[in-house]
Amino acid sequence: MLLDTASMYFRAFFGVPEIKAPDGTPVNAVRGLLDFIARLVDEYRPTDLVCCWDNDWRPQWRVDLLPSYKAHRVVEVVAGSPDVEEVPDPLEVQVPIIRDVLAAYGIRVLGADGYEADDVIGTLATDAGQPVDVVTGDRDLFQLVDDETDVRVLYIARGVGRHERVTNDWVREKYGIDARQYADFATLRGDASDGLPGVAGVGEKTAASLLGRHGDMAGIRAAALDPDSGMAPGPRAKLKAAADYLEVAPRVVAVARDIDLDRTGTALPRTPRDPERLAALAEQWALTSPVDRLSAVLAG
């Protein structure tokens, strides 16, 4: 089970009522994340669990390809280091607490410098040698769904308690494409939340139709340039006008699948690695109830 950790703690922060520790520090995101993990582990009983981390939420190599990528979320540009993302202050102070609690449990946290959590997930899900459940509220990761290798997404956009199990049939029913086509579909459609403009005038239906006829982005671009391809004048003109964007955007949207990662230490812990430290954190941050719940689930 691969967790898109930031996606989960953002949802916890905005979905769980404000709760404060004795010193006044908000801890609703910490509590919510622990309860999310407990609920998912209890339901699916994974052999391995990884909290995948954004070491770089906006990698420079993606920005170099497409400067608009997540640009609307930047609050401070930092030369030589990841830019500062817009994060509510009451959430930002909880992230170190989350790291401390996960470490005390011995739950593996894994990131890679210069890459997003999506890329860590993509790498771990590829050639995993076992079934994989990816937990996220991010549609971009639908591109990883693969029925043959038993990779699916547990999609939490409507809440962890109402999550959807995304398979290829689910993607096809919702979008009219196969999951392997999703990255090209998202490139064509665009995604304002990530600063992806898409192809002007091309929505989901047109994107799905183009992929159904031409297979992938390479086939679509070739057909747009081939006067004998039978492509209608409208889409042809729109694709030609977006040629520069289509040259770079597919590399931005596609998650990395070949990062050099240390895959050790991912086994689901049955008992906390540092029970004394965990108990101290639970007392300090008013986490006794969620810690007790997660500990009970891990113990089986």
Side-chain angles (χ1 to χ4, degrees), residues 142-190:
F142 292 170
Q143 65 187 276
L144 297 175
V145 169
D146 188 333
D147 291 357
E148 289 187 7
T149 58
D150 212 358
V151 177
R152 65 183 176 179
V153 166
L154 305 181
Y155 186 47
I156 61 171
R158 296 194 301 170
V160 171
R162 298 191 297 159
H163 68 269
E164 299 171 88
R165 299 182 184 95
V166 178
T167 61
N168 193 72
D169 284 346
W170 189 98
V171 174
R172 176 152 286 285
E173 182 176 346
K174 187 168 183 65
Y175 298 110
I177 58 169
D178 288 321
R180 61 179 174 76
Q181 299 173 302
Y182 190 84
D184 287 341
F185 175 79
T187 299
L188 291 164
R189 177 199 61 201

Side-chain angles (χ1 to χ4, degrees), residues 236-282:
R236 186 189 301 273
K238 293 168 184 174
L239 291 164
K240 285 185 174 181
D244 290 345
Y245 165 76
L246 293 175
E247 183 67 31
V248 297
R251 285 175 282 166
V252 175
V253 175
V255 301
R257 296 174 182 248
D258 57 357
I259 308 172
D260 184 17
L261 295 174
D262 177 4
R263 296 177 182 242
T264 62
T266 64
L268 182 75
R270 298 300 178 186
T271 57
R273 174 182 293 164
D274 190 341
E276 292 184 3
R277 173 66 171 152
L278 183 61
L281 289 167

